[in-house]
Amino acid sequence: MSENTRETLTITDNRTGKSYEVPVENGSIKATDLRRIKTGPDDFGLMAYDPGFMNTAACKSRITFIDGDQGILRYRGYPIEQLAEKSSFLEVAYLLYFGELPLRSQIDEFARQVLSHTIIHEQTKKFIDGFRHDSHPMGAFLSTVAALSTFYGEGKHIFDANNRLVQFERMVAKMPTIAAFCYRHSIGMPFAYPDGDLSYTGNFLNMMFKATELKYKPNPVLEKALDVLFILHADHEQNCSTTTMRGIGSSHCDPFTAISGAAAALYGPLHGGANEAVLKMLVEIGSKDAIPEFIRGVKAGEGKRLMGFGHRVYKNYDPRAKIIKEVAFQVFEVTGRNPLLDIALDLERIALEDDYFVARKLYPNVDFYSGLIYQAMGFPTEMFPVLFAIPRTPGWLSQWEEQILDPEQRIVRPRQIYLGAGKRDYVPMALRESAVTQTA
Ligand code: SDX
């Protein structure tokens, strides 16, 4: 950019002939600058209309960077490919929250703190036991997470940095325990308590699958695969659930309540519930021969979507999907090949050759292959959104922390374009009735 380039937009309002100069900063304009554009003194001024926030930056962040066209994802500048290969989930959680990779003493202390919080209050079990045995684990999970706010009232002291850190460590620690307890309740198994000798993911597998053995021994391949999957799900900038986390957090409520709202947003099949929807879709397709008919139905708009495909930001292959696909083959070495994989691979091949998907830049996203791995590892399909919420916890809380510390942030309260009725007077019931009979 040459020195004399003015970092501004000049906007001419053709309704009035007036021109306005609006500063450009970080590739954006402040939407509130548009309010200066008025047709007269009583005019509220211009707003930007952006359903789904397709082109609206709601915050400035230094946590996660995505380049959707290039298929790039970085946490605090570190490429996801390197973190998946060389880091661990707890180290990534530390990185997201503190902004830097930890020294040995720092990660050891962080891991020790997290481990010390893995137990949940015995009374919490009463919440979980209160759910029907066949309740969806995500509903039980997010309700129990919300209940944590009633056990840790100090969570409300959100402007106390050390208090925020304690709640961060608590939630990273307790999410696997709550998830596993909700699962065990749904299958009528006694709760398996945390084992301090195991890794973060090893302990989660222990709490999920421990049977009558005295000490559960996680399969190291599955333990590592789950750790990589958790790294890949840890954050993803301003997605639907993180936006919800920031939105709820903007009212200054405690982080437990905010995170239960974020998990609720994640539950939807268009978001974190997509991994469950992918498995159901693959089962519904049933065989490779049925793929063409399924694709036809999607393209014909018969109310179906190719779940696990498409993304608001990635208009290229989701870099996480590439890594997950590799992990799938490692897991299947241990668990045996998931027969649905062949349908998924064929579905991907056919879709990537079909102009409907190519023209819309629809590629596999993080959810397309992850469910196949979870199923092969023994997780029931209904657990899949919970398996998304556990690792997203450090991401949600890091974004929440960043918002609390951001002086430009204020309570979320968007405007609207009102197209409803103008002023009209109340109509007594008798007149309403008579109006109906007259028109009948
Ligand atoms: C996640 O945002 C994040 O970062 C989320 C996430 C994270 O880590 O937090 O990455 C996790 O949520 C991944 C996405 C998981 N969801 C799915 O796999 C569900 C299937 N995908 C979609 O429903 C859709 O692609 C979204 C929701 C992911 C994105 O929706 P957009 O950006 O609002 O796009 P759109 O719905 O406006 O679709 C644009 C066009 C439409 O066609 P036209 O109306 O232009 O003809 O593409 C079509 C859509 O019909 N389309 C699909 C499709 N996704 C979009 N058609 C068939 N199958 C699909 N999956």
Side-chain angles (χ1 to χ4, degrees), residues 17 22 121 129 146 210 244 298 312 375:
V22 174
H121 193 293
D129 284 335
K210 184 176 184 298
T244 305
V298 170
R312 173 66 55 77
Q375 186 180 56

Side-chain angles (χ1 to χ4, degrees), residues 17-47:
K18 285 185 185 169
S19 283
Y20 303 82
E21 191 134 339
V22 174
V24 175
E25 181 193 328
N26 297 315
S28 62
I29 63 167
K30 279 194 175 17
T32 46
D33 283 343
L34 297 174
R35 292 280 299 281
R36 290 163 34 208
I37 303 172
K38 297 171 182 268
T39 54
D42 298 335
D43 184 351
F44 177 80
L46 280 192
M47 291 191 292

Side-chain angles (χ1 to χ4, degrees), residues 194-422:
D195 177 344
D197 293 341
L198 299 176
S199 71
Y200 187 84
T201 48
N203 190 26
F204 177 52
L205 292 170
N206 157 56
M207 294 188 285
M208 282 290 299
F209 300 121
K210 184 176 184 298
T212 55
E213 66 273 39
L214 285 177
K215 193 163 179 69
Y216 180 83
K217 287 188 179 54
N219 179 300
V221 173
L222 304 187
E223 185 179 6
K224 173 64 180 164
L226 197 56
D227 198 74
V228 171
L229 284 163
F230 279 13
I231 288 170
L232 297 172
H233 285 81
D235 191 55
H236 213 240
E237 58 130 286
Q238 307 313 315
N239 56 80
C240 177
S241 53
T242 296
T243 300
T244 305
M245 180 82 187
R246 282 176 169 261
I248 297 174
S250 75
S251 72
H252 291 173
C253 76
D254 69 272
F256 303 104
T257 307
I259 221 167
S260 65
L266 186 75
Y267 195 177
L270 292 188
H271 190 12
N275 50 18
E276 179 180 1
V278 167
L279 252 290
K280 289 180 177 165
M281 172 187 75
L282 293 174
V283 170
E284 178 202 323
I285 292 171
S287 72
K288 289 200 278 189
D289 303 339
I291 291 175
E293 172 52 23
F294 177 80
I295 293 282
R296 185 204 59 76
V298 170
K299 291 162 63 178
E302 292 172 2
K304 297 178 194 170
R305 284 203 159 189
L306 179 48
M307 301 309 276
F309 258 66
H311 200 276
R312 173 66 55 77
V313 177
Y314 290 123
K315 300 308 172 192
N316 199 322
Y317 213 103
D318 185 330
R320 301 168 296 177
K322 276 184 196 154
I323 300 169
I324 290 174
K325 200 171 168 182
E326 289 160 19
V327 169
F329 289 100
Q330 295 161 17
V331 166
F332 297 151
E333 285 292 310
V334 171
T335 62
R337 189 181 177 89
N338 188 325
L340 293 173
L341 176 67
D342 295 321
I343 300 175
L345 290 169
D346 237 30
L347 197 52
E348 175 189 349
R349 179 183 57 76
I350 294 168
L352 294 184
E353 292 164 358
D354 186 306
D355 189 52
Y356 174 93
F357 300 95
V358 175
R360 291 167 175 81
K361 297 186 178 180
L362 302 176
Y363 293 88
N365 59 47
V366 68
D367 291 303
F368 190 64
Y369 287 105
S370 56
L372 289 171
I373 298 175
Y374 292 142
Q375 186 180 56
M377 292 173 84
F379 293 102
T381 314
E382 291 73 23
M383 276 296 284
F384 294 1
V386 180
L387 291 166
F388 199 137
I390 295 171
R392 186 53 58 90
T393 296
W396 284 330
L397 287 164
S398 302
Q399 298 273 351
W400 172 78
E401 161 100 356
E402 185 175 66
Q403 174 182 24
I404 285 174
L405 299 176
D406 181 346
E408 291 186 343
Q409 286 299 316
R410 47 183 47 74
I411 190 165
V412 168
R413 206 280 181 218
R415 311 301 303 227
Q416 64 171 13
I417 294 171
Y418 180 70
L419 300 177

